[in-house]
Amino acid sequence: MKKSVKQFLLISFAISYPCFGVIVYSRTAFGDIFNNPFYLCLFILGCLGPFISSFIAHVLNKEELGGIEGFKGKLKIFKSTKAIILIPLFLITHYGFAMLLKSVYKYGDIMDFFRYLPLMVVILGSQEIGWRGIVQPAFEEKKGFGKSSITTGLFWALWFLPLIYIPKFIILPQFYAQFAAYLVGIGILLTTLYKSSGSIMYCVILSSLLFALSPVIILKQSFMLVGIALVDAIVAHKFKDKVFTSAKSIKI
């Protein structure tokens, strides 16, 4: 494992786990976190752990990751027609097959999507700089696309672990294994998008959209989460080798 990956993982977990651990220990229900400034700050800081860690990893590994300039480079978006097509395609297939598999528990208010989207960009979308920008490429050098995507997805799921012990969190502890597989499937979609576009910012967009839709299209917590992950992997496989090499960078 590369030093940069070890640093990213260690710092991410060192920031996130204590923050989430305090909330778990307090037995504060997930919905009540947003009404308590102290626990809300802890929750946001915990979610920002991978983003903060990715910045530190870039600074500590200037030769490999490019330092601060390398980090800033990952905040650029490259014009990619392919990515613009893949984002809605992946969203439609992900939730479309969930509907076909009868894995939707219920539908929420569409306005919740717009309420949660900015928050999802900050607390989950921003993590992509580390997961897809540092961890997955490092593993892919030795493990290849498939194994590296699964490995990265499992580390991502491990990061989520303390969250499921917060009372009334969206995922129940007994369905953690299925949720881990579900995250691996999403991770494969995100990795394919990154390889197809060359810009991590498209992964930020897709991740944010997927999680912002979760309170609108509420999935059943069952083994069918694994089925959705398999569908995601199959769809992603069709596009993983199609990469755009000509792209224009735009600072955002």
Side-chain angles (χ1 to χ4, degrees), residues 5 58 173 228:
V5 175
H58 276 80
I228 296 171

Side-chain angles (χ1 to χ4, degrees), residues 142-232:
K142 293 184 178 181
K143 296 177 178 292
F145 176 86
K147 290 183 179 179
S148 64
S149 298
I150 293 172
T151 302
T152 303
L154 292 176
F155 273 117
W156 193 21
L158 186 62
W159 177 86
F160 268 94
L161 182 58
L163 287 170
I164 69 172
Y165 293 104
I166 296 176
K168 297 185 179 180
F169 186 64
I170 54 175
I171 299 297
L172 298 173
Q174 58 265 39
F175 293 104
Y176 173 71
Q178 293 89 332
F179 178 63
Y182 178 74
L183 288 178
V184 169
I186 291 176
I188 294 174
L189 289 180
L190 293 167
T191 300
T192 298
L193 183 61
Y194 183 33
K195 292 174 70 68
S196 297
S197 66
S199 173
I200 204 72
M201 294 307 295
Y202 287 112
C203 297
V204 172
I205 293 170
L206 178 58
S207 177
S208 302
L209 291 173
L210 282 167
F211 286 107
L213 279 169
S214 61
V216 179
I217 306 174
I218 304 171
L219 301 180
K220 294 178 182 177
Q221 297 186 45
S222 68
F223 189 77
M224 290 312 297
L225 290 175
V226 180
I228 296 171
L230 290 174
V231 169
D232 286 344

Side-chain angles (χ1 to χ4, degrees), residues 2 39 64 78 93 102 134 180:
K2 283 188 175 182
Y39 292 128
E64 178 191 343
F78 299 87
T93 56
K102 297 182 179 179
I134 297 176

Side-chain angles (χ1 to χ4, degrees), residues 11-187:
I11 298 171
S12 294
F13 284 86
I15 294 173
S16 301
Y17 267 36
C19 292
F20 298 149
V22 171
I23 298 173
V24 171
Y25 182 77
S26 72
R27 304 302 300 167
T28 301
F30 184 68
D32 294 336
I33 291 173
F34 301 93
N35 299 320
N36 186 306
F38 175 69
Y39 292 128
L40 178 59
C41 289
L42 277 180
F43 177 73
I44 293 175
L45 178 60
C47 290
L48 288 175
F51 175 76
I52 296 170
S53 179
S54 63
F55 176 78
I56 296 173
H58 276 80
V59 172
L60 295 177
N61 298 272
K62 188 174 182 180
E63 290 186 4
E64 178 191 343
L65 300 176
I68 295 176
E69 290 302 316
F71 182 82
K72 289 167 63 177
K74 286 189 170 69
L75 299 180
K76 296 178 182 178
I77 190 166
F78 299 87
K79 186 178 180 180
S80 170
T81 303
K82 176 78 172 293
I84 294 171
I85 294 172
L86 285 182
I87 289 175
L89 175 64
F90 286 167
L91 283 170
I92 291 169
T93 56
H94 180 82
Y95 281 109
F97 275 100
M99 295 174 189
L100 289 175
L101 295 171
K102 297 182 179 179
S103 296
V104 178
Y105 172 61
K106 66 178 181 179
Y107 296 94
D109 186 349
I110 186 62
M111 294 307 297
D112 285 340
F113 168 78
F114 298 102
R115 295 190 191 101
Y116 286 108
L117 182 58
L119 180 63
M120 293 302 171
V121 172
V122 174
I123 67 173
L124 290 177
S126 65
Q127 296 185 9
E128 290 304 302
I129 298 171
W131 296 120
R132 248 53 63 180
I134 297 176
V135 179
Q136 195 279 331
F139 283 130
E140 187 170 359
E141 291 180 7
K142 293 184 178 181
K143 296 177 178 292
F145 176 86
K147 290 183 179 179
S148 64
S149 298
I150 293 172
T151 302
T152 303
L154 292 176
F155 273 117
W156 193 21
L158 186 62
W159 177 86
F160 268 94
L161 182 58
L163 287 170
I164 69 172
Y165 293 104
I166 296 176
K168 297 185 179 180
F169 186 64
I170 54 175
I171 299 297
L172 298 173
Q174 58 265 39
F175 293 104
Y176 173 71
Q178 293 89 332
F179 178 63
Y182 178 74
L183 288 178
V184 169
I186 291 176

